[in-house]
Amino acid sequence: MSSTYGTLFKISTFGESHGPAIGVVIDGCPAGLPFDTDFIQHELDRRKPGQSRITTQRREADEFEVLSGVFDGRTQGTPIALVIRNTDQRSKDYSHIAGQFRPSHADYTYQAKYGSRDYRGGGRSSARETAARVAAGAVAKLLLQQQGVQVQAYVSQVGTLKLEKPYQALNLPLAEENAVRCPDPETAERMFQYIDETRKRGDSIGGVVDCVIQGVPVGWGEPVFDKLHAELGKAMLSINAVKGFEYGSGFAGVELYGSQHNDEFYTDEQGHVRTKTNHSGGIQGGISNGEDIYFRVAFKPVATIMQDQDSVDVHGQPVTVSGKGRHDPCVVPRAVPIVEAMAALVLVDMYLRNKVAQVAGQQTEKEAGLL
């Protein structure tokens, strides 16, 4: 089971939803980075359960501990180990499905692949694992901030309710001022009521998280298989409940002619090459072009609902699965920091890869007598 992501900036997450703890080991973080514990905890607080009545009522402080890799407030260039203790497990809530397969969960596929599964909250397949990603993503954000790169995600859709404004017309920091994490207050209130009504019916609803990345210079990303947008897509699709990813004009771009879709170049007053439009979403040929990078991530309705559903047990016999436990009626409000974290992990890895490539190129030129 692969639990590692990254090439130079690597993370390996561990732990289960109802185990003693979850955590992450970060390998490849440069030495000397100021390790802002308050910022990392703030990022975890944005993801933690129990934030409002439209999120799971599991009560976890999600306070992290540093086991290695940090000394005197700075990273040491050695593996950083972070652990988050689980304190509010209610494993008995899942005893009734020990031998049953919940519809649209990973129960059946894990059982078929491994011959066993941790049925307590989904074990390793639980979205609880994403807390470790957010912790690692916070460290990546600290490194990106030194490069002037900012990552901001927000909720743009819940069910059929859509925020129609483009990100340029929004005050994105306002997303953190409401429980839904939508930067438009009026739409946020309507989304909150939508989710709450869904919760009261014992049902769930999906949504969309948009992400905007600003400050990425030209040149991040690898050609062919490790294209920047391909890595972003992989990272987003690795998040629980994600069903779709698009960047730039995305699927809507098919409705345009090439003459409408092409991003024409010009040189600005500072002598920088820019594009008049940004249908490319800040990426061309798999490499950043200096414009804003933006993408959308679609999340399905949470699979666990407080209604009876038909299924089968481990013997293939028909059963009725009854929903119990504490679950989000809509995952997108808490998914915002997860999307940001995964984007940050992709970007910091690409930054380091680009840095290595530049050093290698300079060395080659030096050896050739060109420098």
Side-chain angles (χ1 to χ4, degrees):
M1 181 187 295
S2 176
S3 295
T4 300
Y5 178 77
T7 302
L8 295 181
F9 192 97
K10 295 182 180 180
I11 69 164
S12 296
T13 67
F14 60 86
E16 292 78 37
S17 176
H18 285 237
I22 56 175
V24 62
V25 176
I26 306 169
D27 195 8
C29 182
L33 176 69
F35 197 79
D36 189 338
T37 56
D38 290 339
F39 175 76
I40 297 170
Q41 188 60 59
H42 170 71
E43 292 296 283
L44 285 167
D45 290 345
R46 295 172 65 211
R47 193 222 69 98
K48 73 179 182 181
Q51 296 182 37
S52 72
R53 70 172 183 263
I54 62 169
T55 64
T56 172
Q57 294 307 294
R58 179 170 175 170
R59 297 291 177 178
E60 295 283 0
D62 279 359
E63 295 177 351
F64 74 98
E65 305 170 36
V66 182
L67 302 184
S68 67
V70 179
F71 178 73
D72 200 22
R74 291 182 180 272
T75 59
Q76 299 297 293
T78 54
I80 301 169
L82 308 178
V83 66
I84 303 166
R85 309 289 177 182
N86 291 328
T87 61
D88 189 28
Q89 311 97 312
R90 294 184 186 174
S91 299
K92 66 180 187 304
D93 287 348
Y94 299 91
S95 58
H96 69 292
I97 53 95
Q100 301 177 344
F101 298 138
R102 295 169 296 173
S104 287
H105 275 275
D107 299 342
Y108 170 67
T109 50
Y110 267 58
Q111 185 76 35
K113 181 176 179 65
Y114 299 107
S116 64
R117 63 185 174 90
D118 184 348
Y119 60 83
R120 303 168 304 167
R124 187 72 179 142
S125 67
S126 169
R128 178 96 184 110
E129 179 267 347
T130 60
R133 304 187 191 201
V134 171
V139 177
K141 278 187 174 184
L142 290 173
L143 192 54
L144 290 173
Q145 286 171 7
Q146 292 187 337
Q147 305 305 314
V149 176
Q150 295 293 327
V151 183
Q152 175 75 65
Y154 62 94
V155 173
S156 64
Q157 182 174 345
V158 171
T160 58
L161 185 56
K162 300 179 181 179
L163 176 59
E164 301 292 350
K165 299 177 183 177
Y167 76 86
Q168 297 92 336
L170 298 167
N171 183 0
L172 298 186
L174 287 179
E176 292 302 311
E177 296 188 8
N178 59 75
V180 181
R181 290 201 166 88
C182 173
D184 184 76
E186 181 181 346
T187 305
E189 179 59 30
R190 293 165 59 202
M191 288 178 171
F192 186 95
Q193 296 302 325
Y194 193 157
I195 297 171
D196 200 32
E197 291 169 5
T198 301
R199 177 188 64 83
K200 292 175 181 178
R201 293 198 303 270
D203 215 332
S204 64
I205 191 69
V208 175
V209 172
D210 284 26
C211 187
V212 181
I213 305 167
Q214 297 176 309
V216 176
V218 180
W220 290 12
E222 302 294 323
V224 192
F225 294 114
D226 288 355
K227 290 180 171 67
L228 179 52
H229 59 272
E231 289 300 306
L232 285 170
K234 176 182 178 180
M236 297 307 138
L237 290 166
S238 75
I239 301 172
N240 306 60
V242 170
K243 304 297 287 184
F245 168 84
E246 64 176 6
Y247 77 101
S249 61
F251 287 97
V254 305
E255 300 176 6
L256 302 177
Y257 291 106
S259 55
Q260 298 171 307
H261 190 271
N262 288 345
D263 297 319
E264 295 182 345
F265 290 106
Y266 73 99
T267 302
D268 67 15
E269 295 179 356
Q270 288 73 42
H272 300 138
V273 175
R274 301 289 305 278
T275 59
K276 295 180 181 179
T277 54
N278 191 18
H279 298 299
S280 299
I283 304 171
Q284 293 170 327
I287 300 170
S288 61
N289 67 1
E291 302 295 333
D292 290 351
I293 296 171
Y294 63 97
F295 58 85
R296 309 179 76 231
V297 187
F299 289 80
K300 71 174 183 177
V302 175
T304 298
I305 59 176
M306 299 300 107
Q307 299 179 16
D308 290 347
Q309 299 179 88
D310 293 334
S311 189
V312 298
D313 61 18
V314 293
H315 305 293
Q317 298 302 308
V319 294
T320 298
V321 176
S322 299
K324 294 182 181 179
R326 299 161 293 175
H327 304 277
D328 295 85
C330 181
V331 72
V332 290
R334 291 176 61 217
V336 166
I338 304 170
V339 168
E340 290 180 4
M342 292 308 299
L345 290 168
V346 170
L347 289 168
V348 80
D349 197 43
M350 289 298 184
Y351 157 65
L352 293 173
R353 292 172 71 171
N354 199 57
K355 192 174 181 180
V356 168
Q358 289 176 338
V359 171
Q362 291 171 357
Q363 182 63 32
T364 300
E365 291 183 353
K366 182 178 181 180
E367 292 174 353
L370 299 177
L371 290 180

